[in-house]
Amino acid sequence: MANTKRFCFSCDLKDDPKLIAEYKHYHSKGVTWPEVTKSLKDAGVVDMEIYLTGNRMFMIMDVDETFDLQRKADMDANNPKVQDWEKLMWDYQQALPWAKAGEKWISLEKVFHLEEH
């Protein structure tokens, strides 16, 4: 397999058990819109996982050498179905307290890696 790079992000869900359950349902197998998963793969995302604790989420993306965050953003901006998905997700997601206006997923800063010690 080609070289991969990892991106990690965080975002909050609205702190409402009903909304959190709905959000989890939208991300379950067979429910996530195929256009959204295709857009991820087309952009070079090899694998993606989202973890949840309380209402805080963590997304881990492994990407190939073709992946570029700006290119992915441009692709998404030109994909009406992805834009519809993003609008829907804003019903459930909320920005982290330190996010800039309009910013949802915030890049995590790596502070430790066992292989480096």
Side-chain angles (χ1 to χ4, degrees):
M1 180 188 263
N3 291 333
T4 60
K5 183 175 181 179
R6 177 166 285 170
F7 288 88
C8 301
F9 300 92
S10 186
C11 180
D12 279 351
L13 289 174
K14 294 176 181 171
D15 197 6
D16 177 315
K18 180 180 180 238
L19 292 178
I20 291 171
E22 288 176 16
Y23 184 87
K24 289 168 67 174
H25 174 73
Y26 271 111
H27 288 81
S28 59
K29 188 174 183 175
V31 178
T32 304
W33 298 357
E35 299 88 350
V36 172
T37 56
K38 181 181 183 319
S39 75
L40 291 164
K41 292 173 184 176
D42 288 351
V45 178
V46 176
D47 195 15
M48 175 194 275
E49 296 175 300
I50 298 176
Y51 293 87
L52 179 66
T53 179
N55 70 315
R56 178 129 321 147
M57 296 184 295
F58 300 92
M59 177 180 12
I60 302 168
M61 289 188 335
D62 292 323
V63 302
D64 66 22
E65 66 278 351
T66 67
F67 183 82
D68 178 79
L69 282 170
Q70 185 57 55
R71 183 173 142 267
K72 173 66 171 130
D74 293 343
M75 290 171 67
D76 289 351
N78 290 305
N79 185 325
K81 197 69 173 176
V82 171
Q83 289 301 303
D84 288 345
W85 175 266
E86 289 300 324
K87 288 175 191 162
L88 175 62
M89 292 302 104
W90 266 119
D91 289 344
Y92 304 96
Q93 297 169 336
Q94 62 184 12
L96 293 168
W98 51 87
K100 297 173 186 154
E103 190 173 47
K104 272 196 291 192
W105 290 97
I106 305 295
S107 183
L108 297 176
E109 175 187 359
K110 181 170 65 171
V111 295
F112 177 80
H113 188 186
L114 183 60
E115 289 182 0
E116 296 172 358
H117 291 270

